[in-house]
Short mmCIF file of all heavy atoms in Angstrom, two decimals:
data_model
loop_
_atom_site.label_atom_id
_atom_site.label_comp_id
_atom_site.label_asym_id
_atom_site.label_seq_id
_atom_site.Cartn_x
_atom_site.Cartn_y
_atom_site.Cartn_z
N HIS A 1221 6.25 104.14 143.21
CA HIS A 1221 7.27 104.27 142.17
C HIS A 1221 8.46 105.10 142.65
O HIS A 1221 9.60 104.79 142.32
CB HIS A 1221 6.68 104.93 140.91
CG HIS A 1221 5.77 104.04 140.15
ND1 HIS A 1221 6.23 103.08 139.29
CD2 HIS A 1221 4.41 103.95 140.13
CE1 HIS A 1221 5.20 102.44 138.76
NE2 HIS A 1221 4.08 102.95 139.25
N VAL A 1255 18.54 93.08 136.17
CA VAL A 1255 18.47 92.98 137.63
C VAL A 1255 17.33 93.86 138.16
O VAL A 1255 16.50 93.42 138.96
CB VAL A 1255 19.81 93.40 138.29
CG1 VAL A 1255 19.65 93.57 139.79
CG2 VAL A 1255 20.89 92.37 137.97
N THR A 1264 7.92 93.91 146.23
CA THR A 1264 7.16 93.79 147.48
C THR A 1264 7.74 92.72 148.41
O THR A 1264 7.36 92.65 149.57
CB THR A 1264 5.68 93.47 147.20
OG1 THR A 1264 5.62 92.26 146.43
CG2 THR A 1264 5.01 94.61 146.44
N ALA A 1284 24.34 84.07 136.54
CA ALA A 1284 24.28 82.63 136.27
C ALA A 1284 23.51 82.36 134.99
O ALA A 1284 23.94 81.54 134.15
CB ALA A 1284 23.64 81.89 137.45
N ASP A 1304 34.34 81.13 136.10
CA ASP A 1304 34.64 81.63 137.44
C ASP A 1304 33.41 82.35 137.96
O ASP A 1304 32.67 82.94 137.22
CB ASP A 1304 35.87 82.54 137.46
CG ASP A 1304 35.67 83.80 136.64
OD1 ASP A 1304 34.74 83.84 135.82
OD2 ASP A 1304 36.45 84.73 136.82
N PHE A 1313 44.85 92.18 142.16
CA PHE A 1313 46.18 92.00 142.69
C PHE A 1313 47.28 92.42 141.72
O PHE A 1313 48.37 91.86 141.76
CB PHE A 1313 46.38 90.55 143.12
CG PHE A 1313 45.27 90.04 143.99
CD1 PHE A 1313 44.45 89.02 143.56
CD2 PHE A 1313 45.01 90.61 145.22
CE1 PHE A 1313 43.42 88.56 144.36
CE2 PHE A 1313 43.99 90.16 146.02
CZ PHE A 1313 43.18 89.12 145.58
N ASP A 1316 51.02 92.40 142.71
CA ASP A 1316 51.32 91.45 143.79
C ASP A 1316 51.05 90.03 143.28
O ASP A 1316 50.00 89.44 143.58
CB ASP A 1316 50.49 91.75 145.03
CG ASP A 1316 50.99 90.99 146.26
OD1 ASP A 1316 51.74 90.00 146.09
OD2 ASP A 1316 50.64 91.39 147.37
N LEU A 1319 50.08 87.31 145.93
CA LEU A 1319 48.70 87.35 146.39
C LEU A 1319 47.75 86.83 145.31
O LEU A 1319 46.79 86.13 145.62
CB LEU A 1319 48.33 88.78 146.81
CG LEU A 1319 47.00 88.97 147.53
CD1 LEU A 1319 46.88 88.06 148.75
CD2 LEU A 1319 46.83 90.42 147.94
N ARG A 1364 37.52 80.82 157.71
CA ARG A 1364 38.27 79.75 157.05
C ARG A 1364 38.89 80.23 155.73
O ARG A 1364 40.02 79.87 155.41
CB ARG A 1364 37.37 78.55 156.80
CG ARG A 1364 37.00 77.82 158.07
CD ARG A 1364 36.06 76.67 157.80
NE ARG A 1364 35.68 76.01 159.04
CZ ARG A 1364 34.61 75.26 159.20
NH1 ARG A 1364 33.80 75.06 158.17
NH2 ARG A 1364 34.34 74.70 160.36
N LEU A 1369 43.58 81.75 152.64
CA LEU A 1369 44.30 82.73 151.81
C LEU A 1369 45.66 83.04 152.43
O LEU A 1369 46.67 83.09 151.73
CB LEU A 1369 43.48 84.01 151.65
CG LEU A 1369 44.11 85.10 150.78
CD1 LEU A 1369 44.34 84.60 149.35
CD2 LEU A 1369 43.21 86.34 150.77
N GLU A 1371 47.42 81.08 154.41
CA GLU A 1371 48.26 79.90 154.23
C GLU A 1371 48.78 79.80 152.80
O GLU A 1371 49.95 79.51 152.56
CB GLU A 1371 47.49 78.63 154.60
CG GLU A 1371 47.23 78.49 156.08
CD GLU A 1371 46.31 77.32 156.42
OE1 GLU A 1371 45.94 76.52 155.51
OE2 GLU A 1371 45.94 77.20 157.60
#
Side-chain angles (χ1 to χ4, degrees):
H1221 287 279
V1255 169
T1264 57
D1304 63 344
F1313 310 116
D1316 193 343
L1319 190 54
R1364 289 178 182 159
L1369 181 61
E1371 289 172 6

